[in-house]
Amino acid sequence: MNPGDAPFLKACRGEPADTTPVWLMRQAGRYMVEYREVRERTPFMDLCRDSDLAAEVTVTAVERIGADAAIIFSDILLILVPMGMDLTYGKGEGPVLGNPVRAASDVDRLEEAPPEALSFVYDAIRKTRSSLGPETPLIGFCGAPFTLASYVIEGGGSRNYAETKKLMYGDPGAWHALMSVIARSLVGYVRSQVDAGAQAIQIFDSWVGCLSPADYREYVFPHIRFLLDAISGPVPIIHFGTGTATLLDQQKKAGGDVIGLDWRVNLGESWDALGRVAVQGNLDPCVLLADRETIRRRAGDILRQAGGRPGHIFNLGHGVLPMTPVDNVKYLVDLVHEWRAEA
Ligand code: 1CP
């Protein structure tokens, strides 16, 4: 197969494909026994920095579930280290940034990440690409400026983003300087992933849904627009967020060939409103905890909403949960592939 003819890449371009392509966010992760075995021997950050192991985990996951695309095993937060952040992954508690940014003087100490600081990611992309067949495209990724800024400011995950918004409202100058240095760092990082062989890029704006449309316009749009402008062209860009029902029009305007939808919206209606763009989504990850009949019915609802329109990439609305049975994931992938639009 000509690599460009893979159903996933066709769908990214809005072209018809024989079957609806499907992959899952976090498809290489703790729900999979092969991954847990690797993690028992290797701390998370070491795994990301070991390009052989990262490539192995990436390839194992895509082959195990039969997805139409692989996503490189890495993490959105790694770029923060060469910017000057002190990042650790505590046991079971998620990521911790030990020196959070709370004031303009903290922003000043951050540096634009030199792309070569993340050479282990590009090595992993090259190694993964050489062990995948031409029919399986490889997705590179990064966090979006807002989502990364939220970790930089909160020092980890957050419930209400109070510190983030405190800086955003209280010191817009510092806020824009922070968003700008993150966005500039991401440009070289994404371009290097593409140079290494990434055939699509997903931008994770996982937490931007905590903002109102007006705040998105003022505090986020210029920076995500700058990033998407700078990287668009060579490969398709998937622009993903959660809780973004009221932000989708602005996200589309900011850019991206594919807009990622979470499960809180109706895929068909959102696609109608978005107009000409490909879409990705949007099964609730919790549906994969249910029985097969429910999985079939709920996946069928989404496929019917897409209605066979070219440019749909089936995915969850967010990442696979760790307690998900891997057989249910496999069942979902197979059923999407076997789905035929009803007459
Ligand atoms: O083994 C472990 O316990 C570590 C868990 C883990 C994994 C498997 C982390 C820590 N990161 C990852 C890999 C990862 N992260 C991938 C590649 C795997 C794949 O998709 O197959 C990707 C694409 C990410 C991206 C990522 N990291 C996001 C965006 C996606 C999303 O879920 O919204 C975010 C927000 C992160 C931060 C992060 N890193 C790790 C955790 C547990 C988190 C989330 C913390 C939080 O909830 O705030």
Side-chain angles (χ1 to χ4, degrees):
M1 181 194 271
N2 179 340
D5 291 338
F8 167 78
L9 291 172
K10 282 189 166 174
C12 286
R13 297 192 298 262
E15 297 166 11
D18 291 343
T19 54
T20 299
V22 51
W23 70 280
L24 273 66
M25 288 180 269
R26 297 286 183 108
Q27 67 191 20
R30 277 176 299 170
Y31 79 102
M32 200 173 271
V33 61
E34 293 88 341
Y35 175 78
R36 288 197 303 269
E37 282 169 13
V38 173
R39 278 283 282 110
E40 265 167 34
R41 307 189 299 267
T42 320
F44 179 69
M45 196 106 82
D46 294 359
L47 171 51
C48 292
R49 286 193 169 129
D50 181 329
S51 56
D52 288 305
L53 262 187
E56 181 194 311
V57 167
T58 305
V59 173
T60 304
V62 69
E63 288 180 349
R64 176 85 167 82
I65 66 171
D68 291 277
I71 182 162
I72 192 65
F73 190 85
S74 185
D75 195 72
I76 62 165
L77 303 177
L78 298 175
I79 193 167
L80 301 176
V81 175
M83 294 183 68
M85 297 301 296
D86 165 23
L87 170 67
T88 50
Y89 292 89
K91 260 217 173 331
E93 303 142 40
V96 177
L97 293 138
N99 51 349
V101 161
R102 296 286 161 87
S105 56
D106 297 328
V107 177
D108 291 342
R109 62 156 218 261
L110 293 182
E111 291 176 41
E112 189 175 321
E116 60 276 16
L118 295 141
S119 57
F120 54 89
V121 176
Y122 321 135
D123 290 341
I125 288 173
R126 272 187 286 270
K127 288 174 182 172
T128 303
R129 192 51 273 160
S130 71
S131 50
L132 287 172
E135 68 288 351
T136 309
L138 177 59
I139 305 168
F141 69 88
C142 68
F146 176 84
T147 291
L148 289 173
S150 79
Y151 283 99
V152 166
I153 297 167
E154 303 287 340
S158 178
R159 187 172 276 279
N160 51 22
Y161 303 92
E163 293 291 344
T164 304
K165 293 182 182 183
K166 185 176 162 196
L167 187 79
M168 191 175 88
Y169 296 133
D171 191 344
W175 170 262
H176 285 294
L178 173 60
M179 291 286 280
S180 171
V181 71
I182 294 172
R184 283 181 279 119
S185 299
L186 292 170
V187 172
Y189 180 44
V190 167
R191 286 182 179 156
S192 300
Q193 292 188 52
V194 172
D195 289 345
Q199 292 148 288
I201 294 288
Q202 175 148 328
I203 313 288
F204 284 95
D205 215 348
S206 304
W207 313 133
V208 76
C210 71
L211 296 180
S212 70
D215 286 343
Y216 185 94
R217 188 170 302 117
E218 180 168 352
Y219 298 109
V220 174
F221 185 87
H223 305 285
I224 185 80
R225 174 72 183 254
F226 161 82
L227 171 64
L228 291 165
D229 269 357
I231 62 174
S232 77
V235 301
I237 310 288
I238 306 167
H239 185 175
F240 167 79
T242 73
T244 49
T246 62
L247 305 176
L248 290 173
D249 54 334
Q250 292 194 69
Q251 286 186 299
K252 184 191 174 200
K253 212 151 113 211
D257 304 273
V258 184
I259 300 294
L261 301 172
D262 82 358
W263 65 91
R264 296 171 184 89
V265 298
N266 175 292
L267 181 134
E269 290 169 8
S270 297
W271 201 351
D272 290 342
L274 280 165
R276 268 177 66 92
V277 70
V279 302
Q280 176 175 281
N282 70 338
L283 188 71
D284 188 327
C286 295
V287 170
L288 289 178
L289 308 178
D291 57 281
R292 296 207 162 171
E293 194 41 47
T294 305
I295 296 171
R296 167 165 286 279
R297 183 164 51 79
R298 300 298 293 267
D301 289 343
I302 290 166
L303 288 158
R304 271 186 293 271
Q305 288 163 30
R309 281 179 266 189
H312 177 219
I313 298 158
F314 197 103
N315 205 315
L316 303 181
H318 204 172
V320 192
L321 297 167
M323 63 282 225
T324 305
V326 71
D327 286 347
N328 285 1
V329 172
K330 185 90 188 73
Y331 177 76
L332 173 69
V333 169
D334 290 345
L335 100 77
V336 173
H337 285 153
E338 284 155 19
W339 184 267
R340 291 285 173 275
E342 287 147 24

